[in-house]
Amino acid sequence: MDLPIDYIKEIRFSKKKVPLSPELRPFYRISQIILVLHLSSTKETASLLKLQLFNWGLQNTRRFDRLLKLKETNDFPLIRFDPFLNRALNYGVAMDLFTLNKNTRKFSLTVKGRELALQLLRESIFTEEKTFLLQIKKGLSDTYLIGLFKERYRT
Amino acid sequence: MNRLKLNYLKIVIETSEGEFGTDIPFKDGFNILRAKNTKGKSSTLNAILYALGIEEMLGGKNSKTMKPVLKDKLIFENKEVNVLESKVQLEITNDSGDVITLTRWIKSTSMDEKLIRVHFGAILSKKEAFNFKDYYVHLKGSASESAGFHAFLSTFVKWKLPNVPSFEGKDKLLYIQTLFPLFFVEQFKGWSGFYTSISGSYGIRDLPKRAFEFLLDMDITKNTKEREALKIFNALILNRWSSLKQNLESLADTVNGKVVGHSEKPNLIEELNLFVYDDNNKLIHIIDRIFQLEKDIKDKESYNIVSISNVSEKYEKEIIEQEDYVLQLQNELNSLRQDINLEKDNLRSMRENLRYLAIDLKRNQEAEKLYKLGSNIDSNIKNGTCPTCNQDISDTLLPPETLVEPLDLGENIVFIKEQKSTLEFGIKESERIIKTKQTKQAVLDQNIQNARKELRILKRELNENPALPTQKELEKLVELKISFNRLNEASQSFEKIEENFKDIKKDWKNYLTRKDALPEDYFSALDLKKLTFFEKQFLELLESFNYSSIENIDEITISKDKYTPIVSGFDIKFDSSASDNIRLIWSYIISIYRTSQRYNGNHPGFILFDEPGQQQMAADSQEQLFKSLSKFEGQSLVGTSLEPSEIKAMTKGLQVNIIDLGENYIIKPLL
């Protein structure tokens, strides 16, 4: 394509803001983490593996079933370890919504985090996600998941 | 002259002790038959009924109605005498002066009790010999067959007995027996009412009325009959009419035609016409249409048919053109189909996008809510600053190196909504385009089918024998012939119906004429006159007989419904005063005679009262009865058991024939 470059004296670029999927917004992801910790984790505490698994599961409603039937199938899904989740966890820790136990490498809700969790439960947000998490309850423990994961990827 | 006059009665009883019996000559006018009670007076009078074959009035048939004295034993000089054979003989005259003598046996070894022998002459009063003939009673046909006695008797008395409605629906002859209670009052049952029904009513409806009407020769009997006949006739015509109508309509349906001129009810004016539609959808007469079709067929058959050899060249050319045309249409259709499929794909993907957008929108809206919620908890969220170092950070999880500057959530939502509405518009447009193209496709499909069909016809025709007419012309000709035949058939059926229609019209005219002849009211004018006269006579007589049960005799009228007296709408009670009941009957019986006499009716001109002095009847009332009977133009006969002196006193100065049978048994040795 021929551009009339010779006649152009100056070209200015201005940065345009881009639309962004809500999943890529920090607080959206933080809220999901809080819900997982509050509704589906013993002592509101979960390992990174569990959070990554649930993060994968919450991406779309079709994945809900895989997790709901995990205990029957023992088929640990092939998940993507999402760097965005890690970033969201960092933000959340920084905002003092949950803490990372240095020894167990597990995340737990703080009081502030629990307060937010209770507010999220009251609002009509994440209705499908909340239903799903309440259904699965605290059935998938870290121990079970880590065992299953190791079984699957043992080579 | 009177229709029936008794001349002479004779009873003959053969016994081991010789011939017994009695002889009683009657005269014209007023007769009194006097006998002592229980000496056989009623037996004698009842023998008159027996001789006439009317003994049913006594409650039975044949000889069993007669007293033992006439058939078993009689007492003579305190001695029982056995009856061997007995018979009763009666000599009568009719209004032409013909005299006959009837003989009927009561007990006989050789003669049947059902037989009545008629001698054509006065064998009792003149003792001459005459020819005789035997007739029968109480057998089937005795009232109608020539050998039946009652048929003979009614001819002799010159009665034309009518057929009257019966309970069985069929008309029955008004039997001669049924008339007698209106002029023959016998002692036992005769005084219990105006009309003493005789054992059974012969199945005749309203028998007393019919008998009354006959004696007065009222028009009503034949009018009623005519009325009933007309009713049936009318129903019959209407029935035929409606079935004709049905036939007509179904006929009209078969040819899609229309009938003109048949109304709901038959009438005399209208003519029937059947119309059908012609080629221009106009109604024309079926006959005209048939002629039209005939001409069309003739035209086509003779010369006007296009044959294939004439058109083959033209057809060849047309086939090429037609093939091109079909091909062209096919191409058009194919490209159209492609377009439609592409557009459908487009639509499908747009719809999918729209669905994703909707999810996206929902999530963004949720995120917006989340951020509001979060900012209450942590101010960093609202301000977009780092919770650790408080520097500005962009609201994204993407690494900062990407330098992506995301839209605010609010802007993001607006952006999505715009996308959505653009897509929605696109979808609508796409749907519209598909619809338009599909419509066009349907039209094209139809066109192609038609074009191919035409092509097929052209090709087939070219394969046929070149001398044949084209199929198109043939089809037309066949069509014409079919409708011609159909219309012809219809026309023939129509003619038959028309014949029928004329018949019905004729009958209808006949019906209307007969109906016109009937009086509009139930009674004819003459009938009303007769009834009025009857009423007047009746009241006059009642008064003269000193009837006193009802103070004002004028209150009594004769019911037009029953022909019996009523007071203010109710039948006169028979229990009011026993002797007044008798006066009512006297008046009733005599009034019938007087009315018949006045208007030339059918009354026989003969009246019989057996013991009219019933119920301690006052002597002066009886005297009045005798007085009116003595003025009687016909013949009357009174049976009584009064003392001769009383009779003499009562009949002083009257024209009377007193037959005194004395103090002993009437039946005595004949000399």
Side-chain angles (χ1 to χ4, degrees), chain B residues 592-604:
Chain B
I592 291 175
Y593 169 73
R594 286 191 181 174
T595 311
S596 170
Q597 188 72 7
R598 168 71 181 264
Y599 290 100
N600 216 356
N602 287 319
H603 199 284

Side-chain angles (χ1 to χ4, degrees), chain B residues 124-147:
Chain B
L124 297 179
S125 55
K126 294 193 177 149
K127 321 264 185 213
E128 287 169 24
F130 287 97
N131 283 339
F132 69 86
K133 197 176 167 197
D134 290 343
Y135 294 91
Y136 287 88
V137 286
H138 309 315
L139 287 174
K140 198 167 180 279
S142 60
S144 53
E145 303 295 327
S146 62

Side-chain angles (χ1 to χ4, degrees), chain B residues 226-244 264-266 504 507-508 511-512 514-515:
Chain B
E226 174 76 351
R227 219 167 247 132
E228 225 156 278
L230 279 182
K231 218 160 111 188
I232 292 165
F233 194 34
N234 177 285
L236 217 73
I237 294 177
L238 288 183
N239 198 6
R240 278 168 65 200
W241 181 255
S242 77
S243 83
L244 175 121
E264 279 304 306
K265 283 191 170 172
I504 294 177
D507 280 351
W508 186 244
Y511 166 78
L512 289 180
R514 278 169 66 182
K515 201 176 165 221

Side-chain angles (χ1 to χ4, degrees), chain B residues 251 255 274 286 485-495:
Chain B
L251 177 67
V255 293
L274 180 57
I286 187 166
N485 284 340
R486 214 179 37 172
L487 285 184
N488 239 342
E489 266 172 40
S491 173
Q492 274 164 19
S493 319
F494 180 70
E495 269 167 33

Side-chain angles (χ1 to χ4, degrees), chain A residues 81-100:
Chain A
F81 279 79
D82 189 354
F84 300 135
L85 177 72
N86 294 348
R87 201 174 289 272
L89 283 169
N90 283 339
Y91 275 121
V93 170
M95 286 160 82
D96 199 21
L97 291 170
F98 31 82
T99 56
L100 176 65

